[in-house]
Amino acid sequence: MNLRAIRTRLRVAAGIALLPVLALTACGSGDAPGTTAAGAQASPAPTDDPVAAVHKVDSVAALLPAGVRNAGTLRVGSSIGFPPGAYYPNGPDKAPAGQDIDLADAVAKVLGVRLERQDASFETILPALGSGKYDFGTGNFGVTTERLKTIDFVTYINDGQGFAVKKGSTALRSKVTDLTQLCGLTIGTGAGTTFEATLTAQKGVCAKAGKKPYDVKIYSENAATLTALQQGRIDVIMSTINGLRYQAAQPASQTTFLGEYHRLDVGFAFKKGSPLTKAFQAAVNELIEDGTYARILKKWSTSASAIETSRINPPEHT
């Protein structure tokens, strides 16, 4: 996609991606015209700024390659979609906000570098790391065995997979602990996500249980997924725990969070063998130690997803 097309897409998304009710798939940065869900309201960003007091830590910055230290910049491919992760509270011509934005900015300050943030759709970021388009990527990327084959991760939070239904729905009334509970239902989720991978890999569970299979509908626009749920074209959404929990707390969304299904570590993503991972790990751990990390998570109401220490390429949770 050329630069003009990207800018056009972002302008179209301006009135949509900033909405609290669109905390759905952790996988898209733009929405098509006409997909705004009914009752949507703007979601202003919290006003506190825990990143402001962060300063460069020389011992951590020394872990960066000399070329990066000399250049003083890092290119980040950033999926900007919805709160609390990353979104545009004031439109795409203004600065993005969110947990991922704050954490990346805080890490950059510890390392003494400036970020060149490039907005990108979720599903394009990981492939672009290998080509060198970005130095690292953010977008609530879960650490999975499959991704670890080609991507290095530095963890900064523990999120994962969950489900939500339309408020008052009788399709599902309790926490999903087994995918056979979805048999006969239609699930909406995002393109290129761990949710799509999980549902695809387990598509035979219903047949083995002697039940009608579930159907999966894939969306690349967050608003379209919620609209489909509200209009009854899907029965349930599978997405991030923090995103769905945040969404359900917004009265306009009219959704009910059904709890956690599978936890995943989430991290900054790098091409395999990147020389940046040790510096990023040390920077995250510095933020954890000095309390900035806890303040950022408190700001975005994600404290329940805090980690005790950052790790490089931990195994996927089983």
Side-chain angles (χ1 to χ4, degrees):
M1 185 180 293
N2 60 37
L3 183 59
R4 180 176 295 179
I6 292 172
R7 287 173 174 169
T8 298
R9 183 174 180 177
L10 287 173
R11 283 195 297 269
V12 170
I16 299 170
L18 57 81
L19 304 177
V21 298
L22 304 182
L24 300 177
T25 64
C27 65
S29 60
D31 291 288
T35 57
T36 306
Q41 298 174 356
S43 178
T47 56
D48 51 318
D49 186 8
V51 181
V54 179
H55 299 287
K56 180 181 177 182
V57 178
D58 290 338
S59 60
V60 178
L63 297 174
L64 287 171
V68 174
R69 293 199 306 272
N70 292 335
T73 60
L74 286 171
R75 297 160 299 162
V76 52
S78 186
S79 176
I80 310 295
F82 56 84
Y87 72 122
Y88 286 112
N90 302 303
D93 58 331
K94 305 294 184 181
Q99 167 193 276
D100 287 358
I101 303 299
D102 282 351
L103 286 171
D105 286 348
V107 165
K109 291 184 74 171
V110 170
L111 295 174
V113 297
R114 182 176 60 86
L115 294 184
E116 293 180 354
R117 183 171 281 111
Q118 301 178 38
D119 296 348
S121 59
F122 178 92
E123 64 271 20
T124 67
I125 293 175
L126 297 186
L129 293 173
S131 70
K133 184 176 182 179
Y134 313 120
D135 295 307
F136 72 103
T138 63
N140 209 75
F141 290 108
V143 180
T144 68
T145 301
E146 186 63 27
R147 285 176 174 167
L148 284 170
K149 294 177 182 178
T150 57
I151 300 294
D152 282 339
F153 289 95
V154 173
T155 61
Y156 61 82
I157 201 167
N158 183 262
D159 196 348
Q161 303 172 336
F163 294 90
V165 295
K166 183 178 180 180
K167 188 166 290 187
S169 170
T170 58
L172 283 171
R173 299 185 181 184
S174 61
K175 177 180 177 180
V176 177
T177 57
D178 190 302
L179 292 185
T180 57
Q181 293 171 250
L182 304 175
C183 296
L185 301 179
T186 300
I187 305 107
T189 195
T193 60
T194 61
F195 322 115
E196 179 184 10
T198 295
L199 293 169
T200 300
Q202 299 296 321
K203 61 184 178 182
V205 297
C206 295
K208 291 180 181 179
K211 298 181 179 182
K212 182 180 178 181
Y214 56 71
D215 185 31
V216 180
K217 292 190 180 299
I218 306 300
Y219 298 90
S220 58
E221 290 84 29
N222 298 322
T225 313
L226 181 60
T227 298
L229 182 71
Q230 292 178 331
Q231 294 181 349
R233 288 183 279 115
I234 59 175
D235 300 300
V236 59
I237 294 170
M238 186 178 188
S239 189
T240 68
I241 293 167
N242 286 336
L244 292 176
R245 181 180 284 121
Y246 187 99
Q247 177 195 67
Q250 315 304 315
S253 74
Q254 290 295 300
T255 62
T256 298
F257 176 55
L258 294 181
E260 303 175 7
Y261 173 68
H262 179 54
R263 277 277 174 176
L264 285 172
D265 288 311
V266 169
F268 298 112
F270 305 81
K271 69 178 181 180
K272 205 67 181 174
S274 171
L276 299 174
T277 55
K278 289 185 178 179
F280 269 69
Q281 179 192 34
V284 173
N285 285 331
E286 176 70 24
L287 295 170
I288 291 173
E289 185 175 345
D290 72 14
T292 302
Y293 176 80
R295 290 190 290 273
I296 291 173
L297 267 57
K298 182 179 179 180
K299 172 182 176 180
W300 295 104
S301 301
T302 56
S303 298
S305 287
I307 58 174
E308 293 184 357
T309 187
S310 176
R311 295 192 291 168
I312 297 174
N313 296 338
E316 180 179 353
H317 287 291
T318 57

